[in-house]
Amino acid sequence: MGLAVVVVLALVASTVFAVVTVRRPLPEHDGTQSVPGLSASVDVRRDAQGVPHVYADDAEDLFRAQGYLQAQDRFFEMDYRRHVTSGRLAELVGDVPEAIEADKVIRTFGWRQVAEEEWHLVSDETRAYLQAYAQGVNSYIADRDPEELAVEYTVLGATVEVDQPEPWDPVDSLAWLKAMAWDLRGNYDDELDRALAYSTLGDTDLVDELFPAFDTAGNSPILQSGDLEPTDDGDDATGGSDEQVSSALVAGQAPAAAAAVSSARSALDAIPVLVGRGDAAGSNSWVVSGEHTASGEPLLANDPHLSLSAPGIWSQVGLHCSEVTEACPFDVAGFSFAGFPGVVIGHNGDLAWGLTNMGADVTDFFIERVRGDTWLRDAEAEEWDPIETRTETIRVAGASPVDITVRSTDHGPIVSSVLEDVDEVVGSPTETGTEFGEYAVALSWTALQPGRTADAVFAFDTARDADDVRDAAALFDVPAQNIVFATTDGHIGYQAPGRVPERADVDGPVPSDGSWPRPGWDPDYDWQGWVPAERMPRALDPEDGFVVAANQEVLPSGTGPFLTRDWDYGYRSERIRTLLTDQIATGRPFTAADMNRIQNDDWSPFAEALVPTLLDVEIDGSYDAAGQEVLADWDYRTGVDSPAAAYFAAVWRNLLAETFWDDLPEGMRPDGGSRWLAVVTRMLERPDDPFWDDRTTVNVVETRDEILTRALTTARRDLTVELSKDPEQWDWGTLHTLRLEHPVLGGPTVPALVRDYMNPSPVRMPGGSSIVNATGWDAGSRSFEVTTGPSMRMVVDLADLDASTWVTVTGTSAHPASPHYDDQLDEWATGETFAWPFSREAVEQATEVRATLTP
């Protein structure tokens, strides 16, 4: 009895301790709070979701307040990001191999050094805003112990010594832009995958089959030639794409070169995903002119598809100068990043804008020949230049520091030998002898050149018209984004920003368009500069009365400057265009509710392309055929309760495995996104395509129908195990769940008690990859769980800004004890949104918590 009492008391004490620990970091959101550095009082109004609207008399006070409030709600997230972007993650989390590997790669890139260079490049106003933001952050953290700032520090303190967080530095904010640029960098995966695919296929025609061109006969680009505003066309250096790839460059007779490419891929994959990666890391955006809306003014919709985590990537905020003047020009609301001042996507009183990843090719891998401390600059001239080197020391909490040597050529940092576990594959002599050096891979990337993206954020926040958007876009160096916009005076438009390399058209061993790794020993392959901002595509008030930008090709091939070969294949964008044009044809004008309905559309283009063929396959036996039967009357919707959606996803997963796993390296297993749908739909017309053959079978050549039959029957058996023997009891939502994970304390190695507390409860999701409601999953992992999705949804009504709507995947707070940690999750998952007040009157009406920040 006594022991039981002791145990109960211990449990009670532990519970009380836990409650105190997790609630201790919760900030006070109401009342009067002293913020050193303010020049005058600042009013803060929070609505039912905890979204702050900030009112200040001075622009710098506005950003001091934003820094203070974001430190209140999300400081550990900010601290984690700055450790990652500076290559100092191991300082925060300790002797964790994955953290040390990430630090090695990011130190090799030198993100922090580039950010420090940008500090001297941005405008005086931007520096002032960044400094003010940092002052606000530091005002909050200065007198608080780590456990008062976030529960994460308390948990980490059980294994490593947690120091007082360093003061926030304005460069910390600039470094975050490198992470955003990295995750949205364009065709880097495709470029490496071409080389890796060639290493096993040995046939450029087969490689090209896996990377088909964008099909404008089926899906439309963002703009047609007639939509374009006049630009200085110049001479477009599109690079050749029909040359034969030299087998000695990437594979075949040069296995060391292929190994160097593979090691580069492994090293770069070590970087934590901070924004989003993969086929589904794209976005939807569109804008409809007033001629098609109920109000007579434009509507704009945007939902970026990024990595989904807890807390979510976005921080909602309203930033309002009490009186908008030249000295204090901000009256803007939207989505910001915790750690960076201003609003990245949103609207002000005159203009709304949305962003989607353009996918421009801003990275090139150069295969270098390295000999000792030199690299082959010019093979024809036999010119060898010294390799630039520097030593970086990675400090590890609770363990000895790690020194690495960073090596760079003129093309960029050498990334192929960064990690210890892949170092041995680089350094093998080439097939032509050691006098020609060893193989290594260097990375050229536009974001490793200092730029002015920080200036662009504030320029968008104060933009008023198409000319302002164009000027802001000229500053938006990285990442290259599609910008759709609308104004309250009735205009809609599109603008492409970004620093995009110009490449010479080289008659050499590999295509010069950036689609394959390039020979570093041939100077003709070097970048020739940047596409001038005035030549980037733009359009104002196109004839269709709408613009859809969902990562597809920007312009018809051969039009305008060359941007990339590797686009999203346009299934989402074409579905959005279809829904818009069908409603326009009925004469029913659009409302904000229609925009939200389209954002949540879960119709599958995969099903439309494949189901008719799947239904034609003859399956022996009623048991195996029972799965196929659920497809017969399917409407191609992928709702959470759909048996057909579950079965079709299993068929698609198994079809990709049966068709391609025997042909490709393990790291290239198809993820099942839009490119793979384009590949498979073309193959359906070729029953004897060599990819249908299973190389693992001896003296047998499989054809299309045999592989389709396998995929159908194995999917039926898989779902019998995973769900039920009865197909009527299958449902997509049970398989297709979203399990949000905290980036540090949410993984499988974390104790379950902590992990379950930090990670919100799983939610069932509709949609899928390349569906408008793009809840992506990775077929290569054989899991249906959601990996990426709409990180937020917004609809802006330019006739009545207070009628706009928004929602994020989690909530405004990063404190798991806060009611706003995940209070938007359920609504987001079911496609609902919240009111987005903007005018002072609407904000006051929605206010539930008031605070005054005083000097």
Side-chain angles (χ1 to χ4, degrees):
M1 185 66 175
L3 179 60
V5 171
V6 171
V7 172
V8 170
L9 289 176
L11 289 173
V12 171
S14 298
T15 302
V16 171
F17 172 76
V19 170
V20 171
T21 298
V22 300
R23 294 192 61 80
R24 188 178 182 188
L26 291 181
E28 294 292 334
H29 280 164
D30 58 356
T32 300
Q33 302 174 44
S34 176
V35 180
L38 289 176
S39 63
S41 294
V42 174
D43 291 329
V44 181
R45 302 288 183 263
R46 291 180 183 265
D47 62 15
Q49 285 72 50
V51 177
H53 281 263
V54 185
Y55 296 88
D57 298 333
D58 174 83
E60 291 180 32
D61 276 353
L62 199 62
F63 297 119
R64 286 189 187 94
Q66 186 184 13
Y68 181 86
L69 296 172
Q70 290 191 333
Q72 274 189 331
D73 291 334
R74 310 184 81 146
F75 181 73
F76 181 82
E77 175 189 10
M78 297 163 59
D79 199 21
Y80 168 72
R81 288 176 176 175
R82 70 168 165 175
H83 276 86
V84 171
T85 57
S86 297
R88 298 172 54 204
L89 185 55
E91 285 186 34
L92 180 67
V93 302
D95 191 8
V96 178
E98 292 82 0
I100 296 172
E101 290 180 353
D103 287 346
K104 288 180 179 179
V105 182
I106 292 170
R107 292 289 187 93
T108 298
F109 283 159
W111 286 359
R112 178 76 185 193
Q113 289 94 320
V114 178
E116 289 170 349
E117 293 180 60
E118 290 182 342
W119 174 250
H120 301 289
L121 188 62
V122 297
S123 69
D124 292 341
E125 291 83 1
T126 294
R127 280 197 295 272
Y129 298 154
L130 290 167
Q131 286 175 322
Y133 180 88
Q135 290 170 358
V137 174
N138 293 329
S139 293
Y140 186 74
I141 70 173
D143 299 323
R144 289 174 170 83
D145 294 331
E147 59 268 21
E148 295 179 275
L149 295 171
V151 69
E152 289 92 335
Y153 293 117
T154 303
V155 177
L156 287 173
T159 57
V160 299
E161 183 176 348
V162 175
D163 297 325
Q164 185 71 23
E166 299 172 1
W168 192 263
D169 187 284
V171 177
D172 294 334
S173 297
L174 293 175
W176 166 245
L177 297 177
K178 301 298 130 188
M180 180 175 68
W182 175 249
D183 278 358
L184 302 177
R185 62 197 172 275
N187 84 328
Y188 134 63
D189 290 303
D190 289 343
E191 183 175 339
L192 287 184
D193 281 350
R194 282 186 175 92
L196 293 175
Y198 187 84
S199 71
T200 60
L201 296 173
D203 185 328
T204 55
D205 289 337
L206 289 177
V207 174
D208 287 343
E209 189 177 331
L210 299 179
F211 298 87
F214 184 90
D215 183 8
T216 54
N219 298 329
S220 301
I222 296 173
L223 302 176
Q224 302 296 329
S225 300
D227 296 331
L228 289 172
E229 284 197 293
T231 62
D232 177 14
D233 288 336
D235 295 324
D236 294 326
T238 59
S241 59
D242 297 323
E243 301 96 333
Q244 289 296 306
V245 178
S246 168
S247 61
L249 180 64
V250 293
Q253 298 174 20
V261 171
S262 179
S263 67
R265 175 65 173 270
S266 299
L268 301 182
D269 284 348
I271 299 176
V273 177
L274 294 176
V275 178
R277 251 175 247 170
D279 178 85
S283 301
N284 299 325
S285 68
W286 65 93
V287 60
V288 179
S289 71
E291 66 181 296
H292 300 309
T293 67
S295 68
E297 298 295 340
L299 290 165
L300 183 146
N302 191 198
D303 54 296
H305 309 149
L306 302 173
S307 177
L308 303 178
S309 62
I313 190 76
W314 298 109
S315 178
Q316 296 157 288
V317 69
L319 299 170
H320 310 276
C321 292
S322 302
E323 181 182 356
V324 176
T325 64
E326 184 175 347
C328 192
F330 297 97
D331 186 25
V332 61
F335 298 87
S336 70
F337 291 124
F340 195 92
V343 168
V344 176
I345 298 175
H347 72 82
N348 56 41
D350 299 288
L351 179 138
W353 72 99
L355 301 180
T356 64
N357 196 24
M358 184 165 66
D361 184 356
V362 296
T363 58
D364 274 343
F365 291 94
F366 285 81
I367 297 182
E368 310 283 22
R369 284 176 169 166
V370 174
R371 188 174 65 191
D373 294 329
T374 63
W375 64 286
L376 185 58
R377 183 69 188 86
D378 187 334
E380 186 174 346
E382 297 185 12
E383 176 186 344
W384 292 81
D385 283 358
I387 293 175
E388 181 181 334
T389 63
R390 71 177 189 274
T391 300
E392 295 275 347
T393 299
I394 297 169
R395 292 180 172 83
V396 182
S400 300
V402 176
D403 289 334
I404 64 169
T405 299
V406 176
R407 303 185 301 160
S408 301
T409 72
D410 287 356
H411 299 127
I414 294 175
V415 296
S416 53
S417 57
V418 174
L419 305 183
E420 292 177 6
D421 59 339
V422 297
D423 184 64
E424 67 275 6
V425 301
V426 183
S428 305
T430 70
E431 75 285 351
T432 52
T434 55
E435 70 274 13
F436 290 98
E438 303 160 351
Y439 281 118
V441 176
L443 173 66
S444 287
W445 176 34
T446 56
L448 297 182
Q449 301 291 325
R452 296 182 61 188
T453 299
D455 287 337
V457 172
F458 302 110
F460 278 117
D461 287 353
T462 56
R464 300 287 178 259
D465 55 30
D467 289 340
D468 291 342
V469 171
R470 183 177 58 197
D471 292 342
L475 302 171
F476 203 100
D477 292 307
V478 293
Q481 298 286 288
N482 297 305
I483 303 167
V484 298
F485 64 90
T487 62
T488 54
D489 63 359
H491 295 290
I492 67 170
Y494 168 87
Q495 176 70 55
R499 177 186 287 162
V500 179
E502 288 195 309
R503 301 169 174 89
D505 193 353
V506 182
D507 183 15
V510 296
S512 55
D513 59 2
S515 57
W516 289 76
R518 306 153 81 79
W521 52 85
D522 186 344
D524 289 343
Y525 282 93
D526 290 355
W527 287 355
Q528 308 300 305
W530 318 117
V531 175
E534 60 270 18
R535 287 179 51 214
M536 295 299 283
R538 63 181 184 269
L540 186 66
D541 299 324
E543 185 177 347
D544 285 343
F546 62 82
V547 177
V548 177
N551 317 119
Q552 80 273 36
E553 188 174 51
V554 174
L555 293 168
S557 180
T559 305
F562 178 76
L563 302 175
T564 186
R565 281 183 62 189
D566 296 313
W567 306 99
D568 179 274
Y569 284 80
Y571 299 104
R572 281 181 290 108
S573 61
E574 199 62 23
R575 174 63 175 172
I576 296 167
R577 290 182 62 88
T578 297
L579 293 172
L580 293 175
T581 55
D582 285 353
Q583 183 164 333
I584 289 171
T586 69
R588 182 169 68 85
F590 290 99
T591 65
D594 290 317
M595 301 293 101
N596 183 250
R597 172 181 53 81
I598 294 173
Q599 286 178 328
N600 287 278
D601 181 75
D602 61 11
W603 180 87
S604 171
F606 287 61
E608 181 189 49
L610 300 179
V611 165
T613 302
L614 295 176
L615 290 174
D616 286 340
V617 176
E618 294 186 9
I619 298 179
D620 296 329
S622 60
Y623 175 83
D624 286 338
Q628 185 187 41
E629 290 170 4
V630 304
L631 300 178
D633 57 355
W634 186 27
D635 61 2
Y636 303 160
R637 298 281 178 179
T638 55
V640 293
D641 297 323
S642 172
Y647 177 65
F648 178 77
V651 173
W652 177 238
R653 175 188 68 180
N654 293 357
L655 175 61
L656 293 172
E658 295 281 357
T659 307
F660 299 109
W661 280 23
D662 59 317
D663 296 293
L664 300 174
E666 183 174 342
M668 260 199 76
R669 287 180 174 177
D671 61 10
S674 69
R675 174 163 65 87
W676 293 103
L677 178 57
V679 170
V680 171
T681 52
R682 288 161 172 78
M683 286 175 56
L684 290 177
E685 301 173 1
R686 301 188 296 271
D688 297 319
D689 188 290
F691 279 117
W692 292 124
D693 178 37
D694 183 353
R695 295 189 183 191
T696 65
T697 59
V698 181
N699 299 323
V700 178
V701 177
E702 286 81 5
T703 61
R704 178 195 64 191
D705 289 351
E706 291 171 272
I707 298 301
L708 294 179
T709 302
R710 280 191 202 174
L712 288 160
T713 55
T714 56
R716 195 279 189 256
R717 295 167 190 176
D718 288 346
L719 293 196
T720 298
V721 174
E722 296 177 54
L723 294 176
S724 170
K725 182 178 179 179
D726 181 4
E728 294 302 317
Q729 295 183 23
W730 296 345
D731 68 275
W732 181 220
T734 298
L735 297 173
H736 193 53
T737 56
L738 172 63
R739 301 178 186 274
L740 292 174
E741 187 172 292
H742 188 278
V744 175
L745 300 181
T749 61
V750 176
L753 183 65
V754 175
R755 181 176 69 242
D756 293 344
Y757 183 72
M758 301 301 298
N759 295 341
S761 299
V763 290
R764 291 153 47 91
M765 294 300 301
S769 301
S770 291
I771 292 172
V772 177
N773 189 5
T775 52
W777 57 280
D778 183 0
S781 71
R782 298 197 62 79
S783 171
F784 301 108
E785 290 193 357
V786 177
T787 56
T788 53
S791 54
M792 63 80 162
R793 297 187 184 98
M794 78 171 191
V795 175
V796 183
D797 186 339
L798 278 298
D800 179 5
L801 294 172
D802 291 329
S804 304
T805 61
W806 59 356
V807 68
T808 67
V809 69
T810 52
T812 59
S813 177
H815 299 294
S818 167
H820 302 304
Y821 185 61
D822 60 359
D823 59 331
Q824 299 185 43
L825 175 58
D826 289 341
E827 286 80 2
W828 170 88
T830 56
E832 301 174 53
T833 56
F834 297 98
W836 181 356
F838 179 71
S839 69
R840 186 67 184 255
E841 296 76 16
V843 169
E844 289 291 345
Q845 187 174 359
T847 295
E848 297 205 354
V849 177
R850 302 171 186 272
T852 301
L853 309 182
T854 61

